[in-house]
Amino acid sequence: MNHRPPAPRMTVIGTGYLGATQAVCMAHLGFEVLAVDVDPAKIDALASGRLPFYEPGLDTLLGDTLATGRLRFTTDFDEAVAFGEVHFVCVGTPQSAGSDAADLRYVDAAFTELARRVACDALIVGKSTVPVGTAQRLTALVAEVAGPGVEVAWNPEFLREGFAVADTLHPDRLVFGVQSARAEGMLRAAYAPLLDEGVPVIVADLATAELVKVAANSFLATKISFINAMAEVCEATGADVSLLASALSYDDRIGGRFLKPGLGFGGGCLPKDIRAFRARAEELGVSAAVSFLHEVDQINLRRRSRTVDLVRELAGPDLRGVRVAALGAAFKPDSDDVRDAPALDVARLLYLEGASVVVYDPKANANAHRAYPDLDYAASLAEAVNEADVVLLLTEWAEFVSADPDDMGVLVAHRRIVDGRSALDVARYRAAGWEYRALGRPAGVGVARS
Ligand code: UDX
């Protein structure tokens, strides 16, 4: 006999990358989902099957799930709250203006709005990344306003942009931060299809659940900055960081993932999460425990100015008037997200030095233009590299990695390239007569071994 509780109806609050993915994937798994957002333009787009951002595979799944009738969108908070038994809060927690701390105004507003309206026997589940201690504070806030049957849980999300659907439907693990067996049971019901497939679940207290996410992102950022710190040492010694990373990766204890040297990390998560963690640690009186994250941040930012140095190596010390083709604007391939994007930052630094910068990104041109309207934007790779004195690979889109160095060579003014992601086939570029530079690699790299 099956004792499983009936499938809960779900509300998703916030329809950004995280919320839209959660809503679509939960509906895909068979649940009834109503997603709510304060932005009518976003809701109109989603309700008519259009994603307001680029995420491979999610657009198709959105259309499919809308067609089932299980997924709906609204701007009406009352309607949404009345509908669901499990409410997933998926709003943003950006970096505060003027400080490193997380800006919790959207999370606070979502919990306040929910607490005011929610009926008994509901579970409010935070999925946003928050400073440790936030869920406890929100529990007190909810208890003041809502009835005793309303509980708070935390269920951090680990999805990567570009892989959001796969990461949500096949997560490495689920983390449930709960305060009662009842809340655990409700979360188990909400994720039953994944648990049935054997996805591991860690049931923890609220603080641990909040910390898992922040710790994971801190570890990943540290791993990237570790290899980029080694790149700095390589630059001082003539060693090759790509070979170094490859040699390290054979040690199972180290592993090769997140050990790719280059321009470093950006996006809406890693940079602001490590900064918010330091800010929170300071409040808790344990700043020494995570002070290394300051170095992680600094190493990461130094890669950007080093990339500008490589352009100077190729084009001369004075960059005024030098025509630069910046290939990539998104913080990583398969994304149109330009938040804290290393690529755009390098383009901006070159522009400030007087270079004439033309940016091209297959998906992120519009977002980049909104963020940096002073830069020039090209509609294609060919247009971007046309008459370029130096080409920079800044985001390793497949289109750039697979470009033919000979075809591109015909278009440029000078065959000079800076590979900011160590993603190109050095031997092919050198064979086609390009001067090649990459972060953490000697200038002659590829010659002896090609
Ligand atoms: C990250 C976490 O991976 C995810 O678990 C969390 O939920 C949100 O933050 P995301 O920001 O989508 O996901 O991107 P991710 O794929 O982790 O890449 C982050 C940045 O690191 C990118 O700018 C990428 O270019 C860079 N990176 C990644 C490297 O520079 N080297 C690497 O080896 C790996």
Side-chain angles (χ1 to χ4, degrees):
M1 196 171 144
N2 188 0
H3 293 291
R4 179 178 285 171
R9 287 192 310 274
M10 297 175 183
T11 301
V12 175
I13 294 104
T15 57
Y17 283 102
L18 171 56
T21 307
Q22 178 76 2
V24 170
C25 288
M26 283 301 185
H28 173 75
L29 290 173
F31 296 99
E32 299 281 332
V33 181
L34 182 55
V36 59
D37 200 290
V38 291
D39 182 347
K42 230 184 235 178
I43 289 298
D44 281 351
L46 286 162
S48 54
R50 277 178 292 115
L51 266 192
F53 52 86
Y54 176 70
E55 178 60 42
L58 191 59
D59 44 359
T60 315
L61 210 59
L62 169 66
D64 293 351
T65 46
L66 280 172
T68 66
R70 287 195 300 270
L71 175 63
R72 291 185 300 117
F73 293 93
T74 182
T75 52
D76 183 343
F77 228 92
D78 289 320
E79 183 195 356
V81 177
F83 175 82
E85 293 136 304
V86 174
H87 306 280
F88 288 108
V89 177
C90 298
V91 296
T93 51
Q95 187 173 333
S96 299
S99 98
D100 281 353
D103 180 349
L104 296 176
R105 83 178 82 166
Y106 307 110
V107 170
D108 287 1
F111 272 78
T112 307
E113 293 298 311
L114 274 164
R116 238 187 243 150
R117 296 169 165 88
V118 84
C120 54
D121 294 335
L123 187 65
I124 306 180
V125 185
K127 286 193 77 67
S128 312
T129 304
V130 290
V132 57
T134 304
Q136 200 59 57
R137 179 174 63 75
L138 293 170
T139 299
L141 183 150
V142 169
E144 261 179 40
V145 187
V150 182
E151 274 193 68
V152 171
W154 220 264
N155 164 226
E157 179 55 58
F158 302 97
L159 68 80
R160 296 161 299 165
E161 290 178 24
F163 300 91
V165 173
D167 285 352
T168 306
L169 294 177
H170 310 286
D172 298 330
R173 78 297 209 187
L174 290 164
V175 176
F176 297 165
V178 292
Q179 306 183 77
S180 73
R182 176 175 157 267
E184 181 188 337
M186 288 177 84
L187 276 173
R188 283 189 182 276
Y191 284 105
L194 302 187
L195 298 177
D196 288 349
E197 287 187 1
V199 173
V201 57
I202 292 97
V203 181
D205 55 279
L206 295 178
T208 305
E210 291 168 313
L211 264 177
V212 173
K213 174 61 187 278
V214 184
N217 277 358
S218 297
F219 189 86
L220 294 170
T222 303
K223 206 171 173 193
I224 298 168
S225 277
F226 172 80
I227 200 63
N228 284 334
M230 294 306 105
E232 286 190 26
V233 179
C234 286
E235 281 153 14
T237 58
D240 183 337
V241 73
S242 288
L243 291 174
L244 175 72
S246 162
L248 290 176
S249 72
Y250 285 95
D251 186 329
D252 282 346
R253 296 168 302 175
I254 298 173
R257 295 181 71 192
F258 269 71
L259 207 61
K260 215 159 59 150
L263 250 177
F265 59 82
C269 294
L270 300 190
K272 63 108 176 150
D273 286 353
I274 61 169
R275 291 172 197 151
F277 195 13
R278 283 190 61 229
R280 182 63 182 140
E282 204 164 303
E283 287 169 3
L284 292 166
V286 289
S287 53
V290 293
S291 61
F292 70 94
L293 290 175
H294 176 68
E295 289 307 320
V296 167
D297 203 3
Q298 293 303 307
I299 293 162
N300 192 53
L301 295 174
R302 282 203 295 273
R303 292 289 77 192
R304 303 176 187 187
S305 44
R306 174 65 190 154
T307 304
V308 174
D309 290 344
L310 291 181
V311 177
R312 274 201 209 89
E313 267 186 33
L314 290 174
D318 185 356
L319 294 179
R320 280 175 298 179
V322 171
R323 171 108 163 61
V324 174
L327 302 185
F331 81 105
K332 66 175 187 180
D334 296 318
S335 168
D336 65 355
D337 194 344
V338 298
R339 286 176 293 172
D340 212 331
L344 262 189
D345 210 19
V346 169
R348 183 188 63 89
L349 291 172
L350 288 164
Y351 172 80
L352 291 176
E353 298 248 350
S356 149
V357 184
V358 181
V359 178
Y360 168 64
D361 189 288
K363 295 288 177 196
N365 265 10
N367 286 342
H369 186 266
R370 261 191 293 279
Y372 292 107
D374 288 344
L375 300 173
D376 288 328
Y377 293 89
S380 68
L381 171 59
E383 189 186 323
V385 301
N386 190 39
E387 290 299 316
D389 295 310
V390 184
V391 176
L392 273 88
L393 176 87
L394 300 173
T395 311
E396 66 276 34
W397 284 94
E399 179 185 352
F400 303 151
V401 176
S402 64
D404 187 303
D406 277 311
D407 291 350
M408 216 157 71
V410 175
L411 301 170
V412 296
H414 298 279
R415 295 190 178 203
R416 301 166 178 153
I417 190 155
V418 175
D419 182 358
R421 295 287 177 181
S422 272
L424 301 175
D425 184 337
V426 192
R428 279 187 72 204
Y429 273 83
R430 288 201 174 274
W434 287 76
E435 269 189 276
Y436 174 94
R437 292 287 186 283
L439 294 159
R441 306 178 82 182
V445 69
V447 173
R449 293 177 201 95
S450 60

